[in-house]
Amino acid sequence: MVVLMLLLGGCAAGGGRSAVLAPASRYAETFEAAKEELVSRGFALERVDARGGLIVSTPVSTAGLATPWTHTEIGAGAEVDSFLHRDRRRVTVLFEPADVDPAAAEQVDLRYYDGPIVARVSATRERMHRPGLRLSSAGVRLTSVSGAAEQPEVVTFDAGADAGLAAAVARGIARRAGVGLVDAPDETAVGAGDAG
């Protein structure tokens, strides 16, 4: 089973569209849909700012293949990676007016904005590491902790973006809100959305 998952690791969902286009007057529904989608995937919400258009989740740790009930790894490759490495994922959804200059967009209160709004979804992975932990290739019982063993501190560092999770969350938001998807990175393509 594990060998099959390792072979399928290269076939993992690599991403797709990771932004949602909400038409005029649909911001409230789309914002609520984003919160519901994140909570349904097991994320708690760390920051929710409806005025500024920002939702940030708390990081969620899973063990990949060992935790099949979680909804944060998208594809076999991500499941294997989370199983082999101790990591966690965090999702950010940023809402911006689609037809306003980016410099002026920061001044807009999105709760009262009546134009189209783009919600850009990004997901990041954080790898966790315990300093001083020395794993032995000879056996589990030979693993040791150098320095202060009483330090359970875990250091995290950025392990890159998770395009598959970002695209899956964007699809979930679009489905819940009944709006379309757009390509996220290129701001000039924002107006070229489809119905999903």
Side-chain angles (χ1 to χ4, degrees), residues 30-44:
T30 308
F31 193 85
E32 286 302 313
K35 293 192 317 186
E36 291 170 6
E37 180 65 19
L38 289 175
V39 170
S40 75
R41 289 184 173 274
F43 290 98

Side-chain angles (χ1 to χ4, degrees), residues 12 24 27 31 46 53 73 77 89 103 123 128 134 147 150-151 155 169:
Y27 172 65
F31 193 85
E46 182 175 281
E73 295 97 351
R89 288 166 173 77
M128 295 184 287
R134 290 188 304 223
E150 66 277 358
Q151 286 184 334
V155 177
V169 169

Side-chain angles (χ1 to χ4, degrees), residues 85-130:
H85 305 284
R86 191 167 175 213
D87 64 2
R88 60 189 189 180
R89 288 166 173 77
R90 178 189 302 263
V91 177
T92 301
V93 184
L94 176 63
F95 293 81
E96 300 172 315
D99 55 359
V100 174
D101 181 66
E106 295 178 8
Q107 308 303 323
V108 176
D109 185 342
L110 294 178
R111 296 171 298 176
Y112 305 108
Y113 182 72
D114 61 355
I117 294 177
V118 174
R120 300 177 194 283
V121 181
S122 62
T124 56
R125 292 180 317 135
E126 299 170 345
R127 188 79 28 99
M128 295 184 287
H129 171 70
R130 183 174 174 192

